[in-house]
Each structure stands twice: as structure tokens, then as C-alpha cells.
């Protein structure tokens, strides 16, 4: 998984029908600063530190037919022994 | 997912039979500037900001036998709270 | 696989229900210094050199329904002929 | 997908039995210059601009049991609106 | 696939039960110098130039239940038209 900080939201009204409803959050990977867009169902907010799973395991989390989603926020980080 | 901007089209007439008909668009990842070629069925145009899913989830989106496609435009970005 | 050194722990109490119980360890890839968070069931400790498998093979290791886990510590490195 | 230019051939006579017969071509990704080895069944030649699919979608293209192949040339690029 | 040169061995006696017996070799990707650990059943030795498949296709090569292995040496490179 990657750890990162939520830095914003993305809105996409024109989209494939199979894209689930929910939040698309922009996450800055820490450390390093790379960015990705992750799907969120935990209600994560800007500034929150999160854990992101990427690849087909993100799609496989959804019940039923796997949607074309390759990054999913799986948790919110409370604490990290190595700091943020 | 990655967010990026469509910067051009690719044409490939000699191709595997299993490659679906549709647009192959060159996308520049933002920020960063990396480039990839994504399959598009949304009619995305040059300059449009898009959301791209990569890996096997892109292939799994297609009905029937999964084609050898590893990047799919899943939406067009209307707005982003962190800017473009 | 990647080899790396465990540098810390991550705690995430708000998480998806499908995330298994166990340790989330921060691993610094060697050489290079990239970082990732890997799931651990071997009781690996800070400073330990480990082997990490990434992607869907990590999720497929779990019995039953594959969880949204994309990195798994598969072994602890005793020795390496090229040093650490 | 990645776009690149074929820069050479690789020969590997000692190989796993499950590796299919065919050409292994070295491809330089454009732009960027990263390199990878892709399996080719299109008869691509040195200097040709090609489209490469990577990951499990490459293996899934093969009929029957998927071979340990993670990069496949899926088309030859005729033209690109953003140049080569 | 990636091409690289075997630069050493890794030993991991504490490991998941599902990790197969065999050699874990450290491979330096050429060109570039990135490193990864690949599973080997071809008896590859230090200094040998090899072809490595990564991701779930590596695990899928194993008969029966796929192990948590994400990199597999699929061949030994005899010759390369672009040199080593």
C-alpha cells in the first residue's frame, strides 16, 4: 500500500456507467510527492492521512462485477511510528 | 487512477485482432508529465482532462473476453479542488 | 519481489471492514529508498530486512475472499550475498 | 499502453517450457527512454513504433493457459498526432 | 519483461509456508540499475543475463494454488542485438 495525504477532490460527471458513485480524492504520496486519484468510501477529508491499495485488488473489493477502479482508500492513518 | 490531459491520437492499423475498435489517446499525466496511451470510448478530445484506470481493471471493463488493453479513460474531469 | 528494511508501524482504526487484522509495516526499499506499507503476519520488527511481494499476488495469499491488500511480507532475509 | 520504438532482439534458448515461441523485442519507451522486453507476434522490426500492453492482460491474450509473459506488442503505430 | 543481470542470492528461512522452495536471486535491471528479487528455477548464476516476468503472471506460472511470488526468471539471455 501507499500512504499519503488527501489534497483534494475530483469531479467527473461524464464517465463510464460502470464507475461507482463515491468520492474521487487526489492523494499525495508521502514521502515522495507522487500523486494519484483514489476512490473513497470512508468519508476521508482533505488533510487526512490515508492508506491506499492500488491495482486489481482495489476493483476486487467492490461487490459484484469489478468496476474500472485501480486505487482505493482502505484506511485512515491514526498514527505512524516513523512520523508523517 | 491517474489524472492527465489528452495530448493526441495514435493510429495503429496493423494490430492484434483482439484489440477493440476505438480511440487510442495519448495522455500526459498531471502533475509529472509521464505519458501513456489510453483507450477511450467517451469521445474525449485533445486538451480534455481525464481520469485513467490502468492495469487489468481496464481490460476487465470490456464485455466478454478481456482484450489486451491496460489503460482506459473512465471519466472526464469537470473540476478539481486542487486545480489542474 | 522487493527487499527492504522495516522502519515503522502504521495504525489505522478507521478502515474498510474487509481489511484483515494484522500489522501494517512501513518498509524502505533497498537500495533506492522508496517506501511502501506492507501487511505482515510474520511478526517482523523494526530494522528487520524483509522480502515483500506486491500486487494482486499479495491479496491472493489470504484464504477466502481476497482483501484489498497489495503488499505482503513473505519472508525475513537472513543473508544476502550482495550485502544489505 | 506504452508507446515505444523497437531497438533490438533478445534470444533466450534456456527458458521455462511455458514460454511461447515468438520474438522477444527490446522496446525503448517514448518519450522517456525506459526499456522493456515485449513479446511480439506481429513481425515488428527494429525502428518500428509500437504500442505495448503490460501486466496480466498481456498473458491473458494467449489462448489456453496464460504464459509468464507480461508485455505484448498489440499494434504498430502508423501515425501519431503528437509526433514521435 | 525486464532484462537484467543476476548479482546475488537472498536467503530467507523465516517465511510464509506458501513460499515455494527455490532460489531467490537479486537482479539488477539493465539498463537503469533498478533492483528486484526474482524467483528462479532455471539454475541461473551470478553474472548471468536473464529475462524476468513480473506481477501476477509470475505467480500464475506455478502449478496449483498461486504462491505470493511476483517476479520469475523466465529465460537466460544468450544474445541481444542491442548489446548488454
Amino acid at each position: 500500500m501507499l500512504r499519503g495525504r488527501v489534497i483534494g477532490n475530483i469531479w467527473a460527471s461524464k464517465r463510464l456507467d460502470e464507475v461507482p458513485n463515491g468520492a474521487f480524492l487526489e492523494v499525495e504520496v508521502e514521502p515522495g510527492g507522487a500523486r494519484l486519484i483514489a476512490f473513497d468510501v470512508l468519508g476521508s477529508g482533505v488533510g487526512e492521512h490515508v492508506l491506499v491499495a492500488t491495482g486489481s485488488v482495489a476493483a476486487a473489493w467492490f461487490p459484484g462485477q469489478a468496476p474500472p477502479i485501480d486505487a482505493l482508500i482502505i484506511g485512515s492513518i491514526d498514527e505512524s511510528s516513523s512520523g508523517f
Side-chain angles (χ1 to χ4, degrees), chain A residues 28-81:
Chain A
E28 185 173 85
V29 178
E30 300 182 302
R35 290 192 195 174
L36 53 83
I37 310 297
F39 192 81
D40 183 55
V41 295
L42 292 170
S44 306
V46 171
E48 201 165 334
H49 290 86
V50 293
L51 207 49
V52 182
T54 61
S56 61
V57 308
W61 173 80
F62 292 85
Q65 173 68 20
I69 293 293
D70 66 8
L72 178 69
I73 294 178
I74 65 164
S76 173
I77 300 175
D78 307 309
E79 201 189 327
S80 154
S81 64

